[in-house]
């Protein structure tokens, strides 16, 4: 198991202990919209459609959980999220994506930096296209100069270091900020 996923699982457990809550199934579902550090993450469930769902599906594919054509959070996405949760979370393994699943999934995504290719980059491009800026990116899976420029512009507009490096804070802002803001 990768170190960051172990750490994310530990943070989830620590958050429960610190909060004094003892959760049991089914109340232990990952429907928390805030993580232990207070960051907001939207909760995704079966039946939803959105750019966040589409990005989630590319990130799952990047992690080896193959998805059909992205856009709808259906039974296949639920099954893939559940399989991911069984592997990387100690609780909240219900197929919903809340703060703990987002952090476990994105905390150890392979590099989506300049020059990289793959489904992880497609997820990043989908999220960047939520902010139109009159220059929608093709979902090519290649992190070239257009993807980097749009990423730097987004980071600068949202109080993040405008360095073109995608970290967990950048992903959180991309996912949590409503489109167009």
């Amino acid at each position: 198991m990768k170190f960051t996923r172990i750490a994310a699982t530990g943070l989830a457990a620590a958050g429960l202990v610190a909060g004094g809550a003892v959760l049991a199934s089914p109340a232990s579902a990952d429907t928390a919209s805030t993580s232990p550090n207070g960051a907001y993450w939207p909760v995704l469930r079966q039946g939803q459609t959105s750019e966040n769902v589409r990005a989630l599906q590319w990130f799952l594919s990047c992690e080896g959980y193959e998805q059909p054509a992205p856009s709808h959070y259906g039974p296949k996405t639920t099954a893939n999220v559940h399989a991911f949760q069984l592997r990387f979370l100690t609780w909240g393994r219900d197929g919903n994506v809340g703060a703990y699943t987002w952090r476990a999934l994105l905390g150890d995504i392979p590099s989506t930096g300049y020059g990289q290719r793959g489904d992880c980059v497609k997820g990043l491009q989908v999220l960047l296209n939520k902010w139109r800026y009159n220059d929608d990116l093709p979902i090519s899976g290649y992190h070239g100069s257009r993807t980097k420029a749009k990423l730097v512009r987004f980071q600068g507009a949202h109080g993040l270091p405008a360095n073109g490096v995608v970290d967990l804070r950048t992903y959180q802002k991309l996912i949590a900020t409503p489109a167009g803001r």
Side-chain angles (χ1 to χ4, degrees), residues 62 108-118 120-121 124 143 166 171:
C62 175
D108 203 30
I109 283 285
S111 177
T112 54
Y114 187 78
Q116 298 295 313
R117 296 180 185 275
C120 291
V121 175
L124 171 64
H143 188 151
V166 185
Y171 277 127

Side-chain angles (χ1 to χ4, degrees), residues 54-65:
R54 202 167 160 218
L56 166 69
Q57 292 169 325
W58 284 119
F59 293 133
L60 286 168
S61 289
C62 175
E63 288 290 322
Y65 301 91

